[in-house]
């Protein structure tokens, strides 16, 4: 038989022989004979389709075969259309479910951010009262106190200040989570902004016998910044430098010009960060070593927030660090003409 497995409409129809039997167009024995013939042909290297074998053996005529194939193709096409419609419906249902879940998730995320922001504000109010009364007690405005009482009040004040910082970090974190960070930009003398942060941390550095040096140029450098937020970033870098530098070490804060940019760097000779971990320090709640949180304290939010503040100013951190040698965190800000102030 010359008919081989060429592409004929029959190729589209599975189990054509069974269909012809079901329709009563051929007898089951006819099909068996045709299948046997087909097997025989295959062993000779031919590959005739069953329909053509049935025609060749005279069990069915060509017209009936073509009619049956057409019927089968039509019914397959209808089944395919139905399956597609069902699939389409299921995709729509699943998409709607996913959209609903996503909406719920966004809602929950906003709720979480609002909750953190609200609770942080609520925590701040009683803390402010406590800090106020601590100050009155310490200054002996409410009567004389002993040296022991004074030192106990100092410890309480330090803890209250830490708590205040943690709460402020949480407020900033939740507000940065719930959308774009809003900046209040003004032109500032950068040296003055940095000097204020350095001065604020002098006593802390002194407690650890750390040498804290601020290098700055003889001329003013003006930058457009959200003063409060950039001061917060600098404070974060300085507090980290103090925290992660052993007693007797050195911390340098450097302000310098680099082309059209002001470059500020906070450099310490402390414990340093392994190169492969430098990227990790910007992850929220990330502290390099689980035990360091117990040893050094902190939330692991500082650098993440600091990076968000720098992002909002269109700049980013450069970090150089080596274990046991120290770290340098720096960033650039474009300088502006002081005449715009
Ligand atoms: P926190 O200081 O509250 O732990 P940060 O986000 O400020 O959180 O810092 C994340 C981590 O990065 C710190 O826990 C510390 O492991 C590492 N790190 C930050 N600054 C320094 C530094 N100057 N020297 C060494 N490690 C640092």
């Amino acid at each position: 038989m010359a008919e081989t497995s060429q592409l004929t409409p029959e190729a589209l129809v599975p189990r054509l022989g069974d269909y012809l039997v079901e329709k009563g167009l051929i007898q089951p024995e006819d099909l068996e004979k045709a299948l046997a013939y087909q097997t025989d042909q295959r062993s000779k290297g031919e590959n005739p389709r069953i329909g053509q074998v049935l025609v060749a053996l005279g069990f069915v005529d060509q017209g009936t075969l073509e009619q049956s194939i057409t019927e089968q193709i039509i019914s397959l096409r209808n089944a395919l259309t139905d399956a597609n419609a069902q699939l389409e419906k299921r995709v729509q249902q699943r998409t709607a479910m996913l959209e609903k879940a996503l909406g719920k998730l966004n809602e929950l995320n906003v709720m979480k951010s609002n909750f953190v922001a609200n609770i942080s504000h609520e925590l701040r109010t009683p803390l402010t009262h406590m800090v106020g009364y601590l100050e009155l007690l310490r200054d002996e405005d409410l009567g004389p106190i002993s040296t022991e009482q004074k030192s106990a009040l100092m410890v309480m004040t330090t803890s209250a200040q830490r708590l205040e910082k943690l709460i402020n970090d949480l407020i900033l974190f939740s507000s940065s989570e719930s959308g774009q960070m809003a900046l209040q930009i003004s032109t500032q003398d950068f040296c003055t902004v940095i000097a204020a942060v350095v001065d604020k941390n002098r006593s802390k550095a002194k407690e650890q016998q750390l040498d804290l040096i601020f290098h700055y140029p003889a001329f003013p450098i003006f930058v457009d910044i959200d003063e409060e937020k950039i001061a917060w970033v600098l404070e974060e870098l300085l507090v980290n430098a103090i925290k992660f530098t052993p007693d007797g070490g050195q911390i340098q804060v450097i302000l310098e010009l680099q082309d059209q940019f002001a470059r500020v760097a906070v450099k310490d000779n402390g414990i340093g960060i392994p190169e492969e971990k430098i990227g990790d320090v910007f992850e929220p709640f990330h502290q390099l070593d689980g035990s360091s949180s117990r040893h050094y304290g902190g939330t692991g939010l500082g650098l993440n927030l600091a990076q968000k503040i720098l992002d909002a100013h269109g700049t980013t951190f450069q970090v150089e660090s080596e274990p046991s040698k120290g770290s340098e965190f720096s960033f650039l800000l474009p300088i502006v003409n002081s005449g715009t102030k």
Side-chain angles (χ1 to χ4, degrees), residues 15-281:
R15 308 189 67 79
L16 178 64
D18 291 336
Y19 177 74
L20 293 173
V21 173
E22 264 170 44
K23 294 280 281 181
L25 294 169
I26 57 169
Q27 295 307 308
E29 313 84 73
D30 299 342
L31 180 58
E32 259 168 49
K33 279 182 202 150
L35 284 169
Y37 182 82
Q38 192 185 34
T39 311
D40 185 48
Q41 288 296 308
R42 277 183 184 153
S43 68
K44 292 180 187 155
E46 298 282 339
N47 193 10
R49 299 210 171 268
I50 195 69
Q52 288 313 312
V53 174
L54 286 164
V55 172
L57 296 180
F59 295 136
V60 70
D61 64 81
Q62 186 70 29
T64 309
L65 178 75
E66 278 169 16
Q67 170 76 19
S68 298
I69 291 172
T70 309
E71 279 168 18
Q72 276 287 72
I73 289 176
I74 289 171
S75 96
L76 281 172
R77 197 189 57 189
N78 289 345
L80 198 65
T81 309
D82 282 356
N84 268 343
Q86 272 188 28
L87 206 62
E88 181 73 18
K89 207 167 140 197
R90 279 178 61 189
V91 167
Q92 275 173 7
Q93 279 171 350
R94 287 289 152 93
T95 309
M97 274 166 68
L98 279 175
E99 273 169 1
K100 210 170 147 194
L102 193 66
K104 188 93 194 145
L105 215 60
N106 284 336
E107 215 174 276
L108 280 174
N109 204 24
V110 170
M111 267 170 73
K112 182 208 73 185
S113 294
N114 288 345
F115 172 75
V116 175
N118 289 344
I119 204 89
S120 312
H121 279 289
E122 289 303 319
L123 288 171
R124 195 149 65 169
T125 314
L127 188 64
T128 310
H129 292 154
M130 284 164 65
V131 170
Y133 278 104
L134 276 176
E135 220 168 87
L136 285 176
L137 284 168
R138 224 179 43 220
D139 296 347
E140 304 196 341
D141 288 341
L142 303 176
I145 55 169
S146 68
T147 317
E148 286 82 12
Q149 286 168 335
K150 201 167 223 164
S151 72
L153 287 174
M154 282 310 292
V155 174
M156 287 168 79
T157 307
T158 311
S159 294
Q161 281 166 349
R162 267 195 67 199
L163 204 55
E164 209 168 19
K165 162 136 182 50
L166 294 178
I167 292 170
N168 288 342
D169 286 5
L170 272 179
I171 291 176
L172 197 60
F173 181 70
S174 56
S175 65
S176 73
E177 281 281 277
S178 59
Q180 187 73 20
M181 189 174 287
L183 296 184
Q184 292 187 343
I185 298 286
S186 61
T187 305
Q188 295 292 331
D189 175 351
F190 207 10
C191 187
T192 311
V193 176
I194 301 168
V197 179
V198 172
D199 287 342
K200 197 174 150 198
N201 286 281
R202 280 206 188 281
S203 61
K204 222 180 290 169
K206 211 170 157 199
E207 275 168 30
Q208 272 179 241
Q209 291 102 45
L210 294 171
D211 203 6
L212 174 55
I213 311 164
F214 179 25
H215 305 275
Y216 51 90
F219 46 88
I221 295 180
F222 291 96
V223 283
D224 277 347
I225 50 171
D226 182 318
E227 185 191 357
E228 211 177 287
K229 292 205 169 67
I230 290 292
W232 189 95
V233 171
L234 293 165
E235 166 103 16
E236 208 52 44
L237 296 183
L238 207 46
V239 166
N240 275 346
I242 293 171
K243 197 156 67 168
F244 297 107
T245 304
D247 290 6
Q250 190 188 61
I251 293 164
Q252 301 179 67
V253 180
I254 304 150
L255 172 63
E256 60 190 5
L257 271 191
Q258 203 173 78
D259 301 324
Q260 292 307 299
F261 294 90
R263 177 179 182 271
V264 61
V266 177
K267 190 173 179 179
D268 63 60
N269 60 357
I271 64 169
I273 305 166
E275 201 186 339
E276 69 279 7
K277 299 224 167 130
I278 289 178
D280 295 351
V281 301

Side-chain angles (χ1 to χ4, degrees), residues 236 240-241 243-244 268 271-273 281 286-288 292 297-304 327 329:
E236 208 52 44
N240 275 346
K243 197 156 67 168
F244 297 107
D268 63 60
I271 64 169
I273 305 166
V281 301
H286 195 97
Q287 295 173 318
L288 288 189
S292 82
T299 53
L301 272 180
L303 287 177
N304 178 264
S327 314
F329 286 77

